[in-house]
Amino acid sequence: MYHRIFGCLFLGLVSVLPVAGNLVHAAAQDSAAKPHYLTAVERAGKRLIAVGERGVILLSDDDGANWRQVDSGNDVTLTGLTALDPQHIWVVGHEGTLLRSDDGGEHWAPVLRGVAAAQLALAEVRHLRASPVSAQAQPLIDGLERNAERMIETGSSEPLFSIQFTDSQHGLAVGAYGVVLRTQDGGRTWAAVLGHVDNPRNLHLYALANVQGSLYLAGEQGFLARSTDQGEHFTRLDSGASASFFTLTEDAQGGIYAGGLEGVALRSSDQGATWQALTGGPKQSWVASRPGPDDSVIFANANGALFHTAKDAALIPLARSNGGPLSDFIASPTGATTVVGPGGVTHALKAVSDNAVLEAHQ
């Protein structure tokens, strides 16, 4: 997530590696998988979908061994995606871009782009002004209005970083300067709900997670918030941390995990009321996280290392890419992990187990 946000986007597809213990095999590189700046990867049924810079969208139907590029109709950096089911996929990106596919990623239709998201934000501001506004809220509304007007004047919108649906009808997309867009009709229409989030400083919002029916937001300067009403209202959570969070996930027991700058990683087992720091990880920023096997969670950092959680809240090294930084990863049903990040296909990966380090070469 870190690289999606700040533009430090890295090349290519990095391959398939086992979650623990066995040899790592470099993925075959299809001609469509030539080095691209890739930022996120997601599974839609049996298909993998990766997105990145200049509107690139890649599909793989053999767990990352081969990839082909499809036309997204865009040339902006795409930053995140989610799959409602194998057919219905949503993608977000820079300039307020929101795309959808109803055929498993083969074809893409624009939903929002250019000034559309900024216009939604300005409409929200005017709606807020039509209601009684406290003196405390006035500076927030003024700032939102100035930012929306500036975006419209420049012909663009703020970047969107993450998108999540709680069901087929209700979804949220979040991004820079606290922008929150919501749909309640399956994505046919979207509205800004900036005034529904306890974010008076308009902090950037980088990650979304749906955990047991509640929605969670994570952003800069330690921002965390929770909604229990389908995103109608978000209440700020106090984690005690000031580091920006770039990734959110859950474990099999409904525990919530947040990771971010300088290796800060937290866990909550009570819906965000209290948080416990995870120990044993390096100081590199966490950029992605996913549920792992055996109730664990897997974190990936900006230097290309993967760690998994232990029952004592410790982070244990799992694997690393010699290709350098990565931006996202996803595990397959067989236990392999497809990683998007730097340098095209990885030439040397290392899988770390309790007793040995095993190398595989191209």
Side-chain angles (χ1 to χ4, degrees):
M1 178 64 72
Y2 175 84
H3 306 293
R4 304 177 217 169
I5 297 159
F6 295 107
C8 302
L9 305 174
F10 297 96
L11 292 175
L13 275 191
V14 181
S15 66
V16 178
L17 62 152
V19 170
N22 297 316
L23 287 177
V24 183
H25 300 283
Q29 187 176 25
D30 184 86
S31 60
K34 61 187 178 181
H36 292 289
Y37 287 173
L38 297 177
T39 57
V41 62
E42 190 56 82
R43 181 175 297 279
K46 296 181 179 180
R47 172 169 288 177
L48 294 180
I49 304 176
V51 302
E53 192 183 42
R54 298 179 182 175
V56 66
I57 298 180
L58 302 179
L59 308 181
S60 173
D61 293 312
D62 53 12
D63 251 347
N66 298 283
W67 296 80
R68 58 188 173 90
Q69 186 170 349
V70 295
D71 183 11
S72 71
N74 279 264
D75 59 3
V76 301
T77 296
L78 304 176
T79 55
L81 71 162
T82 189
L84 277 70
D85 55 49
Q87 296 301 308
H88 300 93
I89 323 297
W90 290 85
V91 169
V92 293
H94 287 192
E95 298 184 16
T97 297
L98 183 60
L99 309 176
R100 71 176 294 164
S101 172
D102 295 325
D103 58 6
E106 297 288 349
H107 302 91
W108 295 88
V111 177
L112 298 174
R113 68 165 91 185
V115 300
Q119 290 170 334
L120 293 177
L122 186 58
E124 165 76 351
V125 169
R126 290 171 176 168
H127 172 74
L128 293 173
R129 286 199 185 282
S131 305
V133 177
S134 68
Q136 184 179 7
Q138 191 65 52
L140 168 62
I141 295 173
D142 291 343
L144 292 172
E145 184 173 44
R146 287 193 300 269
N147 193 56
E149 290 175 341
R150 176 178 59 83
M151 288 288 96
I152 291 172
E153 288 175 2
T154 60
S156 184
S157 296
E158 301 292 1
L160 298 172
F161 297 132
S162 186
I163 184 168
Q164 184 68 253
F165 278 74
T166 56
D167 57 39
S168 63
Q169 297 300 303
H170 297 86
L172 288 177
V174 300
Y177 298 100
V179 63
V180 180
L181 306 179
R182 184 179 64 176
T183 180
Q184 297 177 294
D185 57 11
R188 288 187 294 275
T189 61
W190 292 78
V193 289
L194 310 178
H196 299 222
V197 183
D198 183 12
N199 183 14
R201 297 170 61 193
N202 295 334
L203 299 172
H204 301 329
L205 303 176
Y206 298 136
L208 270 165
N210 177 16
V211 182
Q212 296 186 337
S214 293
L215 279 166
Y216 293 84
L217 292 177
E220 67 174 327
Q221 298 181 30
F223 181 86
L224 292 167
R226 182 187 69 219
S227 172
T228 58
D229 55 8
Q230 299 279 11
E232 182 69 26
H233 301 90
F234 279 89
T235 301
R236 182 81 177 257
L237 300 173
D238 183 11
S239 70
S242 59
S244 295
F245 292 116
F246 305 132
T247 181
L248 286 170
T249 195
E250 63 178 312
D251 62 22
Q253 306 302 318
I256 310 139
Y257 293 76
L261 273 178
E262 298 184 347
V264 173
L266 306 179
R267 178 185 188 275
S268 175
S269 58
D270 54 11
Q271 298 184 318
T274 60
W275 296 84
Q276 177 185 14
L278 304 182
T279 62
K283 293 295 184 180
Q284 286 84 32
S285 296
W286 301 114
V287 297
S289 58
R290 302 271 184 173
D294 302 324
D295 297 341
S296 68
V297 164
I298 301 174
F299 279 90
N301 68 26
N303 283 9
L306 275 68
F307 286 70
H308 71 97
T309 56
K311 291 183 179 180
D312 60 356
L315 286 162
I316 300 172
L318 181 62
R320 67 179 179 272
S321 163
N322 286 350
L326 60 83
S327 54
D328 199 9
F329 71 96
I330 191 166
S332 76
T334 62
T337 300
T338 298
V339 179
V340 296
V345 174
T346 294
H347 297 290
L349 294 171
K350 292 183 178 180
V352 181
S353 69
D354 292 337
N355 301 314
V357 176
L358 305 174
E359 291 192 30
H361 302 278
Q362 187 180 31

